[in-house]
CSV table of all heavy atoms in Angstrom, one decimal:
chain,number,residue,atom,x,y,z
R,95,MET,N,-53.9,153.3,74.5
R,95,MET,CA,-52.5,152.9,74.6
R,95,MET,C,-52.1,152.2,73.4
R,95,MET,O,-51.0,152.4,72.9
R,95,MET,CB,-52.4,152.0,75.9
R,95,MET,CG,-51.1,151.7,76.3
R,95,MET,SD,-50.0,152.7,77.2
R,95,MET,CE,-50.6,152.9,78.8
R,96,ASN,N,-53.0,151.3,72.9
R,96,ASN,CA,-52.6,150.5,71.7
R,96,ASN,C,-52.4,151.4,70.5
R,96,ASN,O,-51.4,151.2,69.7
R,96,ASN,CB,-53.7,149.5,71.4
R,96,ASN,CG,-53.4,148.7,70.2
R,96,ASN,OD1,-52.3,148.1,70.1
R,96,ASN,ND2,-54.3,148.6,69.2
R,97,THR,N,-53.2,152.4,70.3
R,97,THR,CA,-53.1,153.3,69.1
R,97,THR,C,-51.8,154.1,69.2
R,97,THR,O,-51.1,154.2,68.2
R,97,THR,CB,-54.2,154.3,69.0
R,97,THR,OG1,-55.5,153.6,69.0
R,97,THR,CG2,-54.1,155.2,67.8
R,98,ALA,N,-51.4,154.6,70.4
R,98,ALA,CA,-50.2,155.3,70.5
R,98,ALA,C,-49.0,154.5,70.2
R,98,ALA,O,-48.0,154.9,69.5
R,98,ALA,CB,-50.0,155.8,72.0
R,99,ILE,N,-49.0,153.2,70.6
R,99,ILE,CA,-47.9,152.3,70.2
R,99,ILE,C,-47.9,151.9,68.8
R,99,ILE,O,-46.9,151.9,68.1
R,99,ILE,CB,-47.9,151.1,71.2
R,99,ILE,CG1,-47.6,151.5,72.6
R,99,ILE,CG2,-46.9,150.0,70.8
R,99,ILE,CD1,-47.9,150.5,73.7
R,100,ALA,N,-49.1,151.5,68.3
R,100,ALA,CA,-49.2,151.0,67.0
R,100,ALA,C,-48.9,152.0,65.9
R,100,ALA,O,-48.4,151.7,64.8
R,100,ALA,CB,-50.6,150.4,66.8
R,101,GLU,N,-49.3,153.3,66.1
R,101,GLU,CA,-49.1,154.3,65.2
R,101,GLU,C,-47.8,155.1,65.3
R,101,GLU,O,-47.5,155.9,64.5
R,101,GLU,CB,-50.2,155.3,65.3
R,101,GLU,CG,-51.6,154.8,65.0
R,101,GLU,CD,-51.8,154.3,63.5
R,101,GLU,OE1,-51.2,155.0,62.6
R,101,GLU,OE2,-52.5,153.3,63.3
R,102,ALA,N,-47.0,154.7,66.3
R,102,ALA,CA,-45.7,155.4,66.5
R,102,ALA,C,-44.7,155.0,65.4
R,102,ALA,O,-44.8,153.9,64.8
R,102,ALA,CB,-45.1,155.0,67.8
R,103,LYS,N,-43.8,155.9,65.1
R,103,LYS,CA,-42.7,155.6,64.1
R,103,LYS,C,-41.8,154.5,64.6
R,103,LYS,O,-41.3,153.7,63.9
R,103,LYS,CB,-41.9,156.8,63.8
R,103,LYS,CG,-42.7,157.8,63.0
R,103,LYS,CD,-41.8,159.0,62.7
R,103,LYS,CE,-42.6,160.1,61.9
R,103,LYS,NZ,-41.8,161.3,61.7
R,104,ASP,N,-41.6,154.5,65.9
R,104,ASP,CA,-40.8,153.4,66.6
R,104,ASP,C,-41.6,152.8,67.7
R,104,ASP,O,-41.6,153.2,68.9
R,104,ASP,CB,-39.5,154.1,67.1
R,104,ASP,CG,-38.6,153.0,67.7
R,104,ASP,OD1,-38.9,151.9,67.8
R,104,ASP,OD2,-37.4,153.4,68.0
R,105,PRO,N,-42.5,151.8,67.4
R,105,PRO,CA,-43.4,151.2,68.4
R,105,PRO,C,-42.7,150.6,69.6
R,105,PRO,O,-43.2,150.7,70.7
R,105,PRO,CB,-44.2,150.2,67.6
R,105,PRO,CG,-43.5,150.0,66.4
R,105,PRO,CD,-42.6,151.2,66.1
R,106,ILE,N,-41.5,150.0,69.4
R,106,ILE,CA,-40.8,149.4,70.5
R,106,ILE,C,-40.4,150.5,71.5
R,106,ILE,O,-40.6,150.3,72.7
R,106,ILE,CB,-39.6,148.7,70.0
R,106,ILE,CG1,-39.9,147.6,69.0
R,106,ILE,CG2,-38.8,148.1,71.2
R,106,ILE,CD1,-40.8,146.5,69.6
R,107,ARG,N,-39.9,151.6,71.0
R,107,ARG,CA,-39.5,152.7,71.9
R,107,ARG,C,-40.7,153.3,72.6
R,107,ARG,O,-40.7,153.7,73.8
R,107,ARG,CB,-38.7,153.7,71.1
R,107,ARG,CG,-38.2,154.9,72.0
R,107,ARG,CD,-37.2,155.7,71.3
R,107,ARG,NE,-36.0,154.9,71.2
R,107,ARG,CZ,-34.9,155.4,70.7
R,107,ARG,NH1,-34.8,156.6,70.2
R,107,ARG,NH2,-33.8,154.6,70.6
R,108,MET,N,-41.8,153.4,71.9
R,108,MET,CA,-43.0,154.0,72.5
R,108,MET,C,-43.5,153.1,73.6
R,108,MET,O,-44.0,153.6,74.6
R,108,MET,CB,-44.1,154.2,71.4
R,108,MET,CG,-45.4,154.8,71.9
R,108,MET,SD,-45.2,156.4,72.6
R,108,MET,CE,-45.2,157.4,71.2
R,109,ALA,N,-43.5,151.8,73.4
R,109,ALA,CA,-43.9,150.8,74.4
R,109,ALA,C,-43.1,150.9,75.6
R,109,ALA,O,-43.6,150.9,76.8
R,109,ALA,CB,-43.9,149.4,73.9
R,110,ARG,N,-41.8,151.1,75.4
R,110,ARG,CA,-40.9,151.3,76.6
R,110,ARG,C,-41.2,152.6,77.3
R,110,ARG,O,-41.2,152.6,78.5
R,110,ARG,CB,-39.4,151.3,76.1
R,110,ARG,CG,-38.9,149.9,75.7
R,110,ARG,CD,-37.5,149.9,75.3
R,110,ARG,NE,-37.1,148.6,74.8
R,110,ARG,CZ,-36.2,148.4,73.8
R,110,ARG,NH1,-35.6,149.5,73.3
R,110,ARG,NH2,-35.9,147.2,73.4
R,111,ALA,N,-41.5,153.6,76.6
R,111,ALA,CA,-41.8,154.9,77.2
R,111,ALA,C,-43.1,154.8,78.0
R,111,ALA,O,-43.1,155.4,79.1
R,111,ALA,CB,-41.9,156.0,76.1
R,112,MET,N,-44.1,154.1,77.5
R,112,MET,CA,-45.3,153.9,78.2
R,112,MET,C,-45.1,153.1,79.5
R,112,MET,O,-45.6,153.4,80.6
R,112,MET,CB,-46.3,153.2,77.4
R,112,MET,CG,-46.8,154.0,76.2
R,112,MET,SD,-47.7,155.4,76.7
R,112,MET,CE,-48.3,156.0,75.1
R,113,LYS,N,-44.2,152.1,79.4
R,113,LYS,CA,-43.9,151.3,80.6
R,113,LYS,C,-43.2,152.1,81.6
R,113,LYS,O,-43.6,152.1,82.8
R,113,LYS,CB,-43.0,150.1,80.2
R,113,LYS,CG,-42.6,149.3,81.3
R,113,LYS,CD,-41.6,148.2,80.9
R,113,LYS,CE,-41.1,147.4,82.2
R,113,LYS,NZ,-40.1,146.4,81.9
R,114,LEU,N,-42.3,152.9,81.2
R,114,LEU,CA,-41.6,153.8,82.2
R,114,LEU,C,-42.5,154.8,82.8
R,114,LEU,O,-42.4,155.2,84.0
R,114,LEU,CB,-40.4,154.5,81.5
R,114,LEU,CG,-39.2,153.6,81.1
R,114,LEU,CD1,-38.2,154.3,80.3
R,114,LEU,CD2,-38.6,152.9,82.3
R,115,ALA,N,-43.4,155.3,82.0
R,115,ALA,CA,-44.4,156.3,82.5
R,115,ALA,C,-45.3,155.7,83.6
R,115,ALA,O,-45.5,156.3,84.7
R,115,ALA,CB,-45.3,156.8,81.4
R,116,VAL,N,-45.7,154.4,83.4
R,116,VAL,CA,-46.5,153.7,84.4
R,116,VAL,C,-45.7,153.5,85.7
R,116,VAL,O,-46.2,153.7,86.8
R,116,VAL,CB,-47.1,152.4,83.8
R,116,VAL,CG1,-47.7,151.6,84.9
R,116,VAL,CG2,-48.1,152.7,82.7
R,117,GLU,N,-44.5,153.1,85.5
R,117,GLU,CA,-43.6,152.8,86.6
R,117,GLU,C,-43.3,154.1,87.4
R,117,GLU,O,-43.3,154.1,88.7
R,117,GLU,CB,-42.3,152.2,86.2
R,117,GLU,CG,-42.4,150.7,85.7
R,117,GLU,CD,-41.1,150.2,85.2
R,117,GLU,OE1,-40.1,150.8,85.2
R,117,GLU,OE2,-41.2,149.0,84.8
R,118,ALA,N,-43.1,155.2,86.7
R,118,ALA,CA,-42.8,156.5,87.4
R,118,ALA,C,-44.1,156.9,88.2
R,118,ALA,O,-43.9,157.4,89.3
R,118,ALA,CB,-42.5,157.5,86.3
R,119,GLY,N,-45.2,156.7,87.6
R,119,GLY,CA,-46.4,157.1,88.3
R,119,GLY,C,-46.6,156.3,89.6
R,119,GLY,O,-47.0,156.8,90.6
R,120,ARG,N,-46.3,155.0,89.5
R,120,ARG,CA,-46.4,154.1,90.7
R,120,ARG,C,-45.5,154.5,91.7
R,120,ARG,O,-45.8,154.6,92.9
R,120,ARG,CB,-46.2,152.7,90.2
R,120,ARG,CG,-46.4,151.7,91.4
R,120,ARG,CD,-47.9,151.6,91.8
R,120,ARG,NE,-48.0,150.6,92.8
R,120,ARG,CZ,-49.0,150.6,93.7
R,120,ARG,NH1,-50.0,151.5,93.6
R,120,ARG,NH2,-49.1,149.7,94.6
R,121,HIS,N,-44.2,154.8,91.3
R,121,HIS,CA,-43.2,155.3,92.3
R,121,HIS,C,-43.7,156.6,93.0
R,121,HIS,O,-43.5,156.8,94.2
R,121,HIS,CB,-41.9,155.5,91.7
R,121,HIS,CG,-41.2,154.2,91.4
R,121,HIS,ND1,-40.7,153.3,92.3
R,121,HIS,CD2,-40.8,153.6,90.2
R,121,HIS,CE1,-40.1,152.3,91.8
R,121,HIS,NE2,-40.2,152.4,90.5
R,122,ALA,N,-44.2,157.5,92.2
R,122,ALA,CA,-44.7,158.8,92.7
R,122,ALA,C,-45.8,158.5,93.7
R,122,ALA,O,-45.8,159.1,94.8
R,122,ALA,CB,-45.1,159.7,91.6
R,123,TYR,N,-46.7,157.6,93.4
R,123,TYR,CA,-47.8,157.3,94.3
R,123,TYR,C,-47.3,156.7,95.6
R,123,TYR,O,-47.8,157.1,96.7
R,123,TYR,CB,-48.8,156.4,93.6
R,123,TYR,CG,-49.9,155.9,94.5
R,123,TYR,CD1,-51.0,156.7,94.9
R,123,TYR,CD2,-49.8,154.6,95.0
R,123,TYR,CE1,-52.0,156.2,95.7
R,123,TYR,CE2,-50.8,154.1,95.9
R,123,TYR,CZ,-51.9,154.9,96.2
R,123,TYR,OH,-52.8,154.5,97.1
R,124,LEU,N,-46.4,155.8,95.5
R,124,LEU,CA,-45.9,155.1,96.7
R,124,LEU,C,-45.0,156.0,97.6
R,124,LEU,O,-44.9,155.8,98.8
R,124,LEU,CB,-45.1,153.8,96.3
R,124,LEU,CG,-46.0,152.7,95.7
R,124,LEU,CD1,-45.1,151.6,95.2
R,124,LEU,CD2,-47.0,152.2,96.7
R,125,SER,N,-44.4,157.0,97.0
R,125,SER,CA,-43.6,157.9,97.8
R,125,SER,C,-44.4,158.8,98.7
R,125,SER,O,-43.9,159.3,99.7
R,125,SER,CB,-42.8,158.8,96.9
R,125,SER,OG,-43.6,159.7,96.2
R,126,GLY,N,-45.7,159.0,98.4
R,126,GLY,CA,-46.6,159.7,99.3
R,126,GLY,C,-46.6,161.2,99.1
R,126,GLY,O,-45.7,161.8,98.5
R,127,ARG,N,-47.7,161.8,99.6
R,127,ARG,CA,-47.8,163.2,99.4
R,127,ARG,C,-47.0,164.0,100.5
R,127,ARG,O,-46.8,163.4,101.5
R,127,ARG,CB,-49.3,163.6,99.6
R,127,ARG,CG,-50.2,163.1,98.5
R,127,ARG,CD,-51.6,163.5,98.7
R,127,ARG,NE,-51.8,164.9,99.0
R,127,ARG,CZ,-52.4,165.8,98.2
R,127,ARG,NH1,-52.8,165.4,97.1
R,127,ARG,NH2,-52.4,167.0,98.5
R,128,MET,N,-46.7,165.2,100.2
R,128,MET,CA,-46.0,166.0,101.2
R,128,MET,C,-47.1,166.5,102.2
R,128,MET,O,-48.3,166.5,101.9
R,128,MET,CB,-45.3,167.2,100.5
R,128,MET,CG,-46.3,168.1,99.8
R,128,MET,SD,-45.4,169.4,98.9
R,128,MET,CE,-45.3,170.7,100.2
R,129,ALA,N,-46.6,166.9,103.4
R,129,ALA,CA,-47.5,167.3,104.4
R,129,ALA,C,-48.2,168.6,104.0
R,129,ALA,O,-47.6,169.5,103.3
R,129,ALA,CB,-46.7,167.5,105.7
R,130,THR,N,-49.4,168.8,104.4
R,130,THR,CA,-50.2,170.0,104.1
R,130,THR,C,-49.7,171.1,105.0
R,130,THR,O,-49.3,170.8,106.2
R,130,THR,CB,-51.7,169.8,104.2
R,130,THR,OG1,-52.0,169.4,105.6
R,130,THR,CG2,-52.2,168.8,103.2
R,131,ARG,N,-49.7,172.3,104.6
R,131,ARG,CA,-49.2,173.5,105.3
R,131,ARG,C,-50.4,174.5,105.4
R,131,ARG,O,-51.2,174.7,104.5
R,131,ARG,CB,-48.0,174.1,104.7
R,131,ARG,CG,-46.9,173.2,104.6
R,131,ARG,CD,-45.7,173.8,103.9
R,131,ARG,NE,-44.6,172.9,103.7
R,131,ARG,CZ,-43.6,173.0,102.9
R,131,ARG,NH1,-43.6,174.1,102.2
R,131,ARG,NH2,-42.7,172.1,102.8
R,132,LYS,N,-50.4,175.2,106.5
R,132,LYS,CA,-51.4,176.2,106.7
R,132,LYS,C,-51.1,177.5,105.9
R,132,LYS,O,-52.0,178.1,105.4
R,132,LYS,CB,-51.5,176.6,108.2
R,132,LYS,CG,-52.7,177.4,108.6
R,132,LYS,CD,-52.9,177.5,110.0
R,132,LYS,CE,-54.2,178.3,110.3
R,132,LYS,NZ,-54.4,178.3,111.8
R,133,TYR,N,-49.8,177.8,105.7
R,133,TYR,CA,-49.4,178.9,105.0
R,133,TYR,C,-48.4,178.5,103.9
R,133,TYR,O,-47.6,177.6,104.1
R,133,TYR,CB,-48.7,180.0,105.9
R,133,TYR,CG,-49.7,180.4,107.0
R,133,TYR,CD1,-49.5,180.0,108.3
R,133,TYR,CD2,-50.7,181.3,106.7
R,133,TYR,CE1,-50.4,180.4,109.3
R,133,TYR,CE2,-51.6,181.8,107.7
R,133,TYR,CZ,-51.4,181.3,109.0
R,133,TYR,OH,-52.3,181.7,110.0
R,134,ALA,N,-48.3,179.3,102.9
R,134,ALA,CA,-47.3,179.1,101.8
R,134,ALA,C,-45.9,179.3,102.3
R,134,ALA,O,-45.7,180.2,103.1
R,134,ALA,CB,-47.6,180.0,100.6
R,135,ASP,N,-45.0,178.5,101.7
R,135,ASP,CA,-43.6,178.7,102.1
R,135,ASP,C,-42.8,178.5,100.8
R,135,ASP,O,-42.7,177.4,100.3
R,135,ASP,CB,-43.2,177.6,103.1
R,135,ASP,CG,-41.8,177.7,103.6
R,135,ASP,OD1,-41.2,178.8,103.6
R,135,ASP,OD2,-41.3,176.6,104.1
R,136,PRO,N,-42.2,179.6,100.3
R,136,PRO,CA,-41.4,179.5,99.1
R,136,PRO,C,-40.2,178.6,99.2
R,136,PRO,O,-39.5,178.6,100.2
R,136,PRO,CB,-41.0,181.0,98.8
R,136,PRO,CG,-41.0,181.6,100.1
R,136,PRO,CD,-42.1,181.0,100.9
R,137,SER,N,-40.0,177.8,98.2
R,137,SER,CA,-38.8,177.0,98.2
R,137,SER,C,-37.5,177.6,97.6
R,137,SER,O,-36.5,177.1,97.8
R,137,SER,CB,-39.1,175.7,97.4
R,137,SER,OG,-39.4,176.0,96.1
R,138,SER,N,-37.7,178.8,97.0
R,138,SER,CA,-36.6,179.5,96.5
R,138,SER,C,-36.4,180.8,97.3
R,138,SER,O,-37.4,181.4,97.7
R,138,SER,CB,-36.8,179.9,95.0
R,138,SER,OG,-37.0,178.8,94.2
R,139,PRO,N,-35.1,181.2,97.4
R,139,PRO,CA,-34.9,182.5,98.2
R,139,PRO,C,-35.5,183.7,97.5
R,139,PRO,O,-35.4,183.8,96.2
R,139,PRO,CB,-33.4,182.6,98.3
R,139,PRO,CG,-32.9,181.7,97.2
R,139,PRO,CD,-33.9,180.6,97.0
R,140,LEU,N,-36.0,184.6,98.2
R,140,LEU,CA,-36.6,185.8,97.6
R,140,LEU,C,-35.6,186.9,97.5
R,140,LEU,O,-35.8,187.9,96.8
R,140,LEU,CB,-37.8,186.3,98.5
R,140,LEU,CG,-39.0,185.3,98.5
R,140,LEU,CD1,-40.1,185.8,99.5
R,140,LEU,CD2,-39.6,185.0,97.2
R,141,ALA,N,-34.5,186.9,98.3
R,141,ALA,CA,-33.5,188.0,98.3
R,141,ALA,C,-32.8,188.0,96.9
R,141,ALA,O,-32.4,187.0,96.4
R,141,ALA,CB,-32.5,187.7,99.4
R,142,GLY,N,-32.7,189.2,96.4
R,142,GLY,CA,-31.9,189.5,95.2
R,142,GLY,C,-32.7,189.2,93.9
R,142,GLY,O,-32.1,189.2,92.9
R,143,LEU,N,-34.0,189.0,94.0
R,143,LEU,CA,-34.7,188.8,92.8
R,143,LEU,C,-35.0,190.1,92.0
R,143,LEU,O,-35.2,190.1,90.8
R,143,LEU,CB,-36.0,188.0,93.1
R,143,LEU,CG,-35.8,186.6,93.6
R,143,LEU,CD1,-37.2,186.0,93.9
R,143,LEU,CD2,-35.1,185.8,92.5
R,144,ILE,N,-35.2,191.2,92.7
R,144,ILE,CA,-35.6,192.4,92.1
R,144,ILE,C,-34.4,193.4,92.1
R,144,ILE,O,-33.7,193.6,93.0
R,144,ILE,CB,-36.8,193.0,92.7
R,144,ILE,CG1,-37.9,192.1,92.6
R,144,ILE,CG2,-37.1,194.4,92.1
R,144,ILE,CD1,-39.2,192.5,93.3
């Protein structure tokens, strides 16, 4: 982490980006996993693709 910030052209911006990445990861973890499914279920409609 130190090298990425220290060697960046804009270290302040890189540090902010790293902070936001850590916060985003924490939010994703706290939001929880989706329920497991026995069969696949497409989230996009299949009609009209071909």
Side-chain angles (χ1 to χ4, degrees):
M95 189 78 73
N96 182 47
T97 303
I99 294 170
E101 298 293 327
K103 291 180 182 176
D104 186 349
I106 302 296
R107 184 167 287 185
M108 180 62 78
R110 286 182 187 146
M112 295 292 187
K113 177 184 175 185
L114 291 172
V116 169
E117 289 176 0
R120 184 68 179 157
H121 285 293
Y123 172 77
L124 293 175
S125 68
R127 293 178 50 110
M128 61 185 272
T130 57
R131 299 178 184 164
K132 192 170 184 176
Y133 301 102
D135 185 24
S137 60
S138 301
L140 297 175
L143 292 178
I144 298 177

